[in-house]
Amino acid sequence: MRIAPAGPADAAELTKVYVEAFREPWPADTLPTHAGRAGFKCLAAWDGDEMVGFTYGYTGEFGQWWTDRIASLASPELSNWLGGHFELVELAVLPSHERRGIGSALLDALLDGLPHRVALLTATDDENAPARRLYHRKGWRVLADGVFDGAVLMGRTLN
């Protein structure tokens, strides 16, 4: 397996992984919109010629939908986490390649060398879900419950 930068030019492969991993369509405008944001970083895992996973994020700022939504729902003490944070948007691995350390490797590579002080993401509120267990092992902690239906806000300091 190799991990390499990816982006809008890889949209077909990224979409295939997303749809298989999450079993739902990926809105076509999502990647181009996010790729245009400051600090955008996208990495993909390849098994030979097949993309088997990807992750990406960017610098989250006030005025962006997600940051503003979290700010409106989260407690005031979380305000120091918002604005200038790294927003981890997606981490997806093909079901046929799960439990091989690909998600962990992608997450480590994505966060490596970032200039941000903190990183944030939303994840399922199911503590036993594989993604939640991965984030917990990697030092993420729940900052707020119920920020979206069935989701928690998780954060991690980076520097």
Side-chain angles (χ1 to χ4, degrees), residues 43-61:
L43 300 172
W46 298 85
D47 184 1
D49 291 335
E50 180 184 21
M51 184 185 290
V52 297
F54 76 92
T55 187
Y56 81 85
Y58 52 79
T59 302
E61 296 290 357

Side-chain angles (χ1 to χ4, degrees), residues 43-118:
L43 300 172
W46 298 85
D47 184 1
D49 291 335
E50 180 184 21
M51 184 185 290
V52 297
F54 76 92
T55 187
Y56 81 85
Y58 52 79
T59 302
E61 296 290 357
F62 290 101
Q64 296 170 347
W65 180 86
W66 189 90
T67 300
D68 289 350
R69 174 83 175 164
I70 295 297
S72 74
L73 297 172
S75 60
E77 58 267 13
L78 292 178
S79 63
N80 63 331
W81 285 82
L82 295 169
H85 60 277
F86 185 76
E87 186 174 315
L88 195 157
V89 179
E90 299 294 353
L91 175 60
V93 176
L94 290 177
S96 61
H97 286 72
E98 290 177 345
R99 304 203 188 284
R100 298 183 189 183
I102 295 169
S104 180
L106 281 166
L107 183 57
D108 289 346
L110 183 70
L111 299 178
D112 185 48
L114 290 177
H116 306 79
R117 186 179 59 81
V118 298

